[in-house]
Amino acid sequence: MLHSKEFNPSSIFEAKPTHYLFIANLIFIHIIFTLAVNLILFEHGYLSFIAKNTNHWINETLAANLVGLLLEVIIFLILIAKVSPRDFGLKIEKLRAGLLGTFLFWLAINIVDLCMVHLNHSELTLNNNIFSHSNLVFGEILGQIFGNALLEEILFRGFLLVQIYLCLKKINNKTTRMITAMLISQSIFAAIHIPNRIYSGLVGMEFVYDFIMLLILGVIFALLYILTKNLFFVIGVHSLMNIQIVFWNSNFTYTATLLCVLLLTCLLLCIKRKEFRAQQHQADMEL
């Protein structure tokens, strides 16, 4: 009995293939959408009235990305391209585990951040913004969970990563195929953020550094999706990467969040490698 020495990708790649024209059109639509949002809607404050009228519980980020979800996911992917939500990662049976994982990840961030505050002998003071401006704080979180992070994870991890993998049929080695799909899809993810970075005023080496960081984060999110098979969890991690919330004032929260993401990814990779070796050993025993 022969066995493969290549990594066997998870069931996220067992989706229904979509025609490459739909994939290309989705990328084009998202580019146009991103340009319109950042260079027109955000630039001229056309969505600010929504934030003002909802006391910032629905901020501009959430409003814009709800439009994106409607146009790109519901109308284009589901209604036009006939892609099932399950085929881009929205599996309801994964929701509870995703929520629990997100909560535990947030707790880990708080613990690591608290340790960093203590090790640096910084004064521990209460973060009053959580209580005095709770509408702004939780509005930002809602803008990520139900807006930016949700849309980006569906498009770039749930859909593009999987569909590009399925398109690369000529690459027989599954590991190489997966890595190639990851690099292509996450390069697109990083590149599509360029209008937002232009709007934010990034130039020169700051722009280059930010692009590289986006590519790395995209790969990390893709790895988390492959390793956990849970897009809801990745949406939660993505949200907490963009909006950090702790109950005390700290200068280390982003660093703590990044450290937790890296440690989690490494831990999951080690677990997966151990499982793979166990499977290889079992196959050797059956020879």
Side-chain angles (χ1 to χ4, degrees), residues 44-111:
H44 298 286
Y46 290 144
L47 298 176
S48 59
F49 76 96
I50 296 176
K52 291 177 181 177
N53 289 329
T54 60
N55 198 25
H56 295 278
W57 284 97
I58 300 177
N59 61 16
E60 294 178 56
T61 298
L62 179 56
N65 282 281
L66 286 176
V67 174
L69 286 164
L70 174 64
L71 295 176
E72 299 180 55
V73 178
I74 296 176
I75 294 178
F76 185 79
L77 279 183
I78 296 177
L79 297 180
I80 297 176
K82 305 297 183 184
V83 179
S84 167
R86 295 184 64 84
D87 283 337
F88 51 73
L90 297 186
K91 301 177 180 179
I92 193 65
E93 67 271 17
K94 301 281 189 178
L95 179 58
R96 183 182 297 180
L99 292 173
L100 177 60
T102 300
F103 176 71
L104 293 175
F105 182 74
W106 175 75
L107 281 181
I109 292 171
N110 279 262
I111 293 170

Side-chain angles (χ1 to χ4, degrees), residues 30-245:
H30 191 66
I31 290 171
I32 298 301
F33 171 75
T34 304
L35 287 170
V37 167
N38 287 282
L39 304 182
I40 299 175
L41 297 182
F42 285 171
E43 178 69 23
H44 298 286
Y46 290 144
L47 298 176
S48 59
F49 76 96
I50 296 176
K52 291 177 181 177
N53 289 329
T54 60
N55 198 25
H56 295 278
W57 284 97
I58 300 177
N59 61 16
E60 294 178 56
T61 298
L62 179 56
N65 282 281
L66 286 176
V67 174
L69 286 164
L70 174 64
L71 295 176
E72 299 180 55
V73 178
I74 296 176
I75 294 178
F76 185 79
L77 279 183
I78 296 177
L79 297 180
I80 297 176
K82 305 297 183 184
V83 179
S84 167
R86 295 184 64 84
D87 283 337
F88 51 73
L90 297 186
K91 301 177 180 179
I92 193 65
E93 67 271 17
K94 301 281 189 178
L95 179 58
R96 183 182 297 180
L99 292 173
L100 177 60
T102 300
F103 176 71
L104 293 175
F105 182 74
W106 175 75
L107 281 181
I109 292 171
N110 279 262
I111 293 170
V112 172
D113 184 78
L114 190 60
C115 290
M116 294 179 77
V117 170
H118 177 71
L119 289 172
N120 282 272
H121 305 289
S122 300
E123 183 181 359
L124 195 64
T125 57
L126 189 66
N127 181 5
N128 291 319
N129 285 332
I130 292 180
F131 305 100
S132 60
H133 300 96
S134 58
N135 56 324
L136 295 174
V137 174
F138 290 102
E140 289 184 345
I141 281 290
L142 292 175
Q144 291 298 320
I145 294 175
F146 298 105
N148 179 66
L150 175 60
L151 179 60
E152 289 188 346
E153 290 309 319
I154 288 174
L155 296 184
F156 296 105
R157 264 65 70 177
F159 182 75
L160 274 183
L161 170 65
V162 173
Q163 292 302 323
I164 290 174
Y165 174 88
L166 295 175
C167 286
L168 299 174
K169 297 177 181 178
K170 293 184 179 180
I171 302 178
N172 294 322
N173 184 283
K174 291 181 179 179
T175 304
T176 304
R177 188 177 174 186
M178 181 184 65
I179 293 172
T180 305
M182 194 184 304
L183 291 175
I184 293 172
S185 60
Q186 303 322 304
S187 294
I188 296 171
F189 167 72
I192 280 179
H193 280 77
I194 290 175
N196 177 266
R197 275 29 186 189
I198 293 173
Y199 169 73
S200 301
L202 288 182
V203 293
M205 289 308 298
E206 284 187 346
F207 180 87
V208 174
Y209 171 77
D210 185 79
F211 182 87
I212 294 171
M213 282 300 298
L214 282 169
L215 178 59
I216 293 171
L217 286 174
V219 169
I220 289 173
F221 292 148
L223 279 172
L224 286 177
Y225 183 38
I226 292 168
L227 294 168
T228 65
K229 308 176 189 178
N230 194 319
L231 193 68
F232 294 111
F233 174 65
V234 186
I235 291 167
V237 172
H238 189 156
S239 299
L240 292 171
M241 282 294 301
N242 287 350
I243 305 294
Q244 298 91 43
I245 295 181

